[in-house]
PDB file of all heavy atoms in Angstrom:
ATOM      1  N   GLY A 272     176.549 171.049  76.687  1.00 81.00           N
ATOM      2  CA  GLY A 272     177.922 170.601  76.481  1.00 81.00           C
ATOM      3  C   GLY A 272     178.355 169.681  77.603  1.00 81.00           C
ATOM      4  O   GLY A 272     178.902 168.596  77.376  1.00 81.00           O
ATOM      5  N   LEU A 273     178.051 170.121  78.813  1.00 84.00           N
ATOM      6  CA  LEU A 273     178.450 169.362  79.984  1.00 84.00           C
ATOM      7  C   LEU A 273     177.777 167.992  80.004  1.00 84.00           C
ATOM      8  O   LEU A 273     178.427 166.964  80.230  1.00 84.00           O
ATOM      9  CB  LEU A 273     178.063 170.152  81.241  1.00 84.00           C
ATOM     10  CG  LEU A 273     178.907 169.885  82.481  1.00 84.00           C
ATOM     11  CD1 LEU A 273     180.347 170.295  82.222  1.00 84.00           C
ATOM     12  CD2 LEU A 273     178.339 170.626  83.679  1.00 84.00           C
ATOM     13  N   SER A 274     176.476 167.980  79.713  1.00 83.00           N
ATOM     14  CA  SER A 274     175.790 166.690  79.760  1.00 83.00           C
ATOM     15  C   SER A 274     176.254 165.774  78.630  1.00 83.00           C
ATOM     16  O   SER A 274     176.343 164.565  78.808  1.00 83.00           O
ATOM     17  CB  SER A 274     174.268 166.853  79.761  1.00 83.00           C
ATOM     18  OG  SER A 274     173.884 167.816  78.829  1.00 83.00           O
ATOM     19  N   LEU A 275     176.613 166.381  77.496  1.00 82.00           N
ATOM     20  CA  LEU A 275     177.119 165.560  76.391  1.00 82.00           C
ATOM     21  C   LEU A 275     178.427 164.887  76.801  1.00 82.00           C
ATOM     22  O   LEU A 275     178.640 163.694  76.554  1.00 82.00           O
ATOM     23  CB  LEU A 275     177.330 166.419  75.146  1.00 82.00           C
ATOM     24  CG  LEU A 275     177.603 165.675  73.839  1.00 82.00           C
ATOM     25  CD1 LEU A 275     176.483 164.708  73.536  1.00 82.00           C
ATOM     26  CD2 LEU A 275     177.772 166.633  72.673  1.00 82.00           C
ATOM     27  N   ILE A 276     179.290 165.659  77.471  1.00 86.00           N
ATOM     28  CA  ILE A 276     180.562 165.087  77.926  1.00 86.00           C
ATOM     29  C   ILE A 276     180.303 163.945  78.907  1.00 86.00           C
ATOM     30  O   ILE A 276     180.887 162.863  78.805  1.00 86.00           O
ATOM     31  CB  ILE A 276     181.441 166.169  78.598  1.00 86.00           C
ATOM     32  CG1 ILE A 276     181.899 167.181  77.544  1.00 86.00           C
ATOM     33  CG2 ILE A 276     182.640 165.538  79.298  1.00 86.00           C
ATOM     34  CD1 ILE A 276     182.600 168.380  78.106  1.00 86.00           C
ATOM     35  N   LEU A 277     179.390 164.203  79.852  1.00 86.00           N
ATOM     36  CA  LEU A 277     179.099 163.175  80.861  1.00 86.00           C
ATOM     37  C   LEU A 277     178.537 161.908  80.229  1.00 86.00           C
ATOM     38  O   LEU A 277     178.954 160.797  80.564  1.00 86.00           O
ATOM     39  CB  LEU A 277     178.111 163.729  81.899  1.00 86.00           C
ATOM     40  CG  LEU A 277     178.713 164.742  82.870  1.00 86.00           C
ATOM     41  CD1 LEU A 277     177.630 165.311  83.776  1.00 86.00           C
ATOM     42  CD2 LEU A 277     179.827 164.107  83.702  1.00 86.00           C
ATOM     43  N   ILE A 278     177.618 162.092  79.295  1.00 84.00           N
ATOM     44  CA  ILE A 278     177.016 160.917  78.646  1.00 84.00           C
ATOM     45  C   ILE A 278     178.087 160.124  77.895  1.00 84.00           C
ATOM     46  O   ILE A 278     178.170 158.902  77.991  1.00 84.00           O
ATOM     47  CB  ILE A 278     175.872 161.330  77.691  1.00 84.00           C
ATOM     48  CG1 ILE A 278     174.707 161.881  78.498  1.00 84.00           C
ATOM     49  CG2 ILE A 278     175.408 160.146  76.856  1.00 84.00           C
ATOM     50  CD1 ILE A 278     173.605 162.479  77.649  1.00 84.00           C
ATOM     51  N   MET A 279     178.933 160.857  77.158  1.00 82.00           N
ATOM     52  CA  MET A 279     179.970 160.174  76.376  1.00 82.00           C
ATOM     53  C   MET A 279     180.940 159.422  77.279  1.00 82.00           C
ATOM     54  O   MET A 279     181.460 158.371  76.936  1.00 82.00           O
ATOM     55  CB  MET A 279     180.730 161.179  75.514  1.00 82.00           C
ATOM     56  CG  MET A 279     179.953 161.661  74.331  1.00 82.00           C
ATOM     57  SD  MET A 279     179.490 160.305  73.276  1.00 82.00           S
ATOM     58  CE  MET A 279     177.782 160.614  73.012  1.00 82.00           C
ATOM     59  N   LEU A 280     181.181 160.008  78.460  1.00 85.00           N
ATOM     60  CA  LEU A 280     182.102 159.365  79.404  1.00 85.00           C
ATOM     61  C   LEU A 280     181.515 158.078  79.956  1.00 85.00           C
ATOM     62  O   LEU A 280     182.183 157.052  80.026  1.00 85.00           O
ATOM     63  CB  LEU A 280     182.395 160.317  80.567  1.00 85.00           C
ATOM     64  CG  LEU A 280     183.619 161.207  80.433  1.00 85.00           C
ATOM     65  CD1 LEU A 280     183.757 162.079  81.671  1.00 85.00           C
ATOM     66  CD2 LEU A 280     184.876 160.369  80.253  1.00 85.00           C
ATOM     67  N   PHE A 281     180.251 158.148  80.361  1.00 83.00           N
ATOM     68  CA  PHE A 281     179.692 157.023  81.097  1.00 83.00           C
ATOM     69  C   PHE A 281     178.884 156.059  80.230  1.00 83.00           C
ATOM     70  O   PHE A 281     178.852 154.877  80.498  1.00 83.00           O
ATOM     71  CB  PHE A 281     178.864 157.520  82.293  1.00 83.00           C
ATOM     72  CG  PHE A 281     179.728 158.215  83.310  1.00 83.00           C
ATOM     73  CD1 PHE A 281     179.683 159.596  83.452  1.00 83.00           C
ATOM     74  CD2 PHE A 281     180.630 157.486  84.071  1.00 83.00           C
ATOM     75  CE1 PHE A 281     180.505 160.227  84.372  1.00 83.00           C
ATOM     76  CE2 PHE A 281     181.451 158.119  84.988  1.00 83.00           C
ATOM     77  CZ  PHE A 281     181.392 159.495  85.143  1.00 83.00           C
ATOM     78  N   CYS A 282     178.208 156.562  79.236  1.00 81.00           N
ATOM     79  CA  CYS A 282     177.519 155.640  78.309  1.00 81.00           C
ATOM     80  C   CYS A 282     177.773 156.092  76.877  1.00 81.00           C
ATOM     81  O   CYS A 282     176.958 156.809  76.310  1.00 81.00           O
ATOM     82  CB  CYS A 282     176.025 155.529  78.553  1.00 81.00           C
ATOM     83  SG  CYS A 282     175.380 156.359  79.986  1.00 81.00           S
ATOM     84  N   PRO A 283     178.895 155.674  76.323  1.00 78.00           N
ATOM     85  CA  PRO A 283     179.253 156.121  74.975  1.00 78.00           C
ATOM     86  C   PRO A 283     178.244 155.701  73.908  1.00 78.00           C
ATOM     87  O   PRO A 283     178.253 156.250  72.818  1.00 78.00           O
ATOM     88  CB  PRO A 283     180.623 155.477  74.733  1.00 78.00           C
ATOM     89  CG  PRO A 283     180.754 154.410  75.745  1.00 78.00           C
ATOM     90  CD  PRO A 283     179.914 154.810  76.906  1.00 78.00           C
ATOM     91  N   ASN A 284     177.380 154.748  74.220  1.00 79.00           N
ATOM     92  CA  ASN A 284     176.374 154.354  73.234  1.00 79.00           C
ATOM     93  C   ASN A 284     175.070 155.118  73.407  1.00 79.00           C
ATOM     94  O   ASN A 284     174.078 154.813  72.765  1.00 79.00           O
ATOM     95  CB  ASN A 284     176.090 152.853  73.317  1.00 79.00           C
ATOM     96  CG  ASN A 284     177.213 152.051  72.721  1.00 79.00           C
ATOM     97  OD1 ASN A 284     177.850 152.501  71.773  1.00 79.00           O
ATOM     98  ND2 ASN A 284     177.480 150.904  73.293  1.00 79.00           N
ATOM     99  N   GLY A 285     175.084 156.080  74.306  1.00 80.00           N
ATOM    100  CA  GLY A 285     173.869 156.841  74.533  1.00 80.00           C
ATOM    101  C   GLY A 285     173.255 156.512  75.886  1.00 80.00           C
ATOM    102  O   GLY A 285     173.448 155.425  76.424  1.00 80.00           O
ATOM    103  N   LEU A 286     172.505 157.482  76.397  1.00 81.00           N
ATOM    104  CA  LEU A 286     171.962 157.371  77.748  1.00 81.00           C
ATOM    105  C   LEU A 286     171.011 156.182  77.883  1.00 81.00           C
ATOM    106  O   LEU A 286     171.117 155.380  78.797  1.00 81.00           O
ATOM    107  CB  LEU A 286     171.229 158.674  78.089  1.00 81.00           C
ATOM    108  CG  LEU A 286     170.987 158.954  79.557  1.00 81.00           C
ATOM    109  CD1 LEU A 286     172.279 158.950  80.341  1.00 81.00           C
ATOM    110  CD2 LEU A 286     170.290 160.304  79.721  1.00 81.00           C
ATOM    111  N   LEU A 287     170.098 156.077  76.917  1.00 81.00           N
ATOM    112  CA  LEU A 287     169.098 155.010  76.982  1.00 81.00           C
ATOM    113  C   LEU A 287     169.767 153.630  76.967  1.00 81.00           C
ATOM    114  O   LEU A 287     169.439 152.745  77.743  1.00 81.00           O
ATOM    115  CB  LEU A 287     168.137 155.136  75.795  1.00 81.00           C
ATOM    116  CG  LEU A 287     166.856 154.313  75.882  1.00 81.00           C
ATOM    117  CD1 LEU A 287     166.014 154.767  77.050  1.00 81.00           C
ATOM    118  CD2 LEU A 287     166.083 154.433  74.594  1.00 81.00           C
ATOM    119  N   GLU A 288     170.750 153.498  76.070  1.00 79.00           N
ATOM    120  CA  GLU A 288     171.460 152.231  75.962  1.00 79.00           C
ATOM    121  C   GLU A 288     172.229 151.936  77.247  1.00 79.00           C
ATOM    122  O   GLU A 288     172.286 150.804  77.717  1.00 79.00           O
ATOM    123  CB  GLU A 288     172.426 152.281  74.797  1.00 79.00           C
ATOM    124  CG  GLU A 288     172.652 150.951  74.170  1.00 79.00           C
ATOM    125  CD  GLU A 288     172.668 151.080  72.662  1.00 79.00           C
ATOM    126  OE1 GLU A 288     171.863 151.859  72.132  1.00 79.00           O
ATOM    127  OE2 GLU A 288     173.487 150.436  72.041  1.00 79.00           O
ATOM    128  N   GLY A 289     172.814 152.986  77.811  1.00 80.00           N
ATOM    129  CA  GLY A 289     173.541 152.849  79.071  1.00 80.00           C
ATOM    130  C   GLY A 289     172.617 152.352  80.165  1.00 80.00           C
ATOM    131  O   GLY A 289     172.954 151.439  80.926  1.00 80.00           O
ATOM    132  N   LEU A 290     171.429 152.941  80.220  1.00 81.00           N
ATOM    133  CA  LEU A 290     170.459 152.532  81.228  1.00 81.00           C
ATOM    134  C   LEU A 290     170.045 151.082  81.020  1.00 81.00           C
ATOM    135  O   LEU A 290     169.944 150.308  81.960  1.00 81.00           O
ATOM    136  CB  LEU A 290     169.223 153.434  81.177  1.00 81.00           C
ATOM    137  CG  LEU A 290     169.414 154.866  81.671  1.00 81.00           C
ATOM    138  CD1 LEU A 290     168.152 155.681  81.457  1.00 81.00           C
ATOM    139  CD2 LEU A 290     169.804 154.876  83.149  1.00 81.00           C
ATOM    140  N   LYS A 291     169.840 150.739  79.738  1.00 80.00           N
ATOM    141  CA  LYS A 291     169.443 149.374  79.402  1.00 80.00           C
ATOM    142  C   LYS A 291     170.504 148.376  79.872  1.00 80.00           C
ATOM    143  O   LYS A 291     170.197 147.356  80.465  1.00 80.00           O
ATOM    144  CB  LYS A 291     169.248 149.261  77.878  1.00 80.00           C
ATOM    145  CG  LYS A 291     168.186 148.276  77.470  1.00 80.00           C
ATOM    146  CD  LYS A 291     167.979 148.278  75.965  1.00 80.00           C
ATOM    147  CE  LYS A 291     169.083 147.534  75.257  1.00 80.00           C
ATOM    148  NZ  LYS A 291     168.925 147.534  73.781  1.00 80.00           N
ATOM    149  N   ASP A 292     171.770 148.733  79.582  1.00 80.00           N
ATOM    150  CA  ASP A 292     172.876 147.856  79.966  1.00 80.00           C
ATOM    151  C   ASP A 292     172.953 147.668  81.471  1.00 80.00           C
ATOM    152  O   ASP A 292     173.073 146.558  81.973  1.00 80.00           O
ATOM    153  CB  ASP A 292     174.211 148.418  79.465  1.00 80.00           C
ATOM    154  CG  ASP A 292     174.400 148.142  77.998  1.00 80.00           C
ATOM    155  OD1 ASP A 292     173.571 147.388  77.439  1.00 80.00           O
ATOM    156  OD2 ASP A 292     175.358 148.668  77.420  1.00 80.00           O
ATOM    157  N   SER A 293     172.877 148.793  82.194  1.00 81.00           N
ATOM    158  CA  SER A 293     173.031 148.670  83.639  1.00 81.00           C
ATOM    159  C   SER A 293     171.841 147.935  84.236  1.00 81.00           C
ATOM    160  O   SER A 293     171.988 147.221  85.219  1.00 81.00           O
ATOM    161  CB  SER A 293     173.240 150.038  84.304  1.00 81.00           C
ATOM    162  OG  SER A 293     172.548 151.033  83.641  1.00 81.00           O
TER     163      SER A 293
END
Side-chain angles (χ1 to χ4, degrees):
Chain A
L273 207 63
S274 44
L275 191 57
I276 292 172
L277 287 175
I278 292 173
M279 286 301 132
L280 267 180
F281 295 107
C282 354
N284 285 327
L286 199 56
L287 194 63
E288 210 138 321
L290 289 175
K291 212 176 77 181
D292 282 352
S293 33

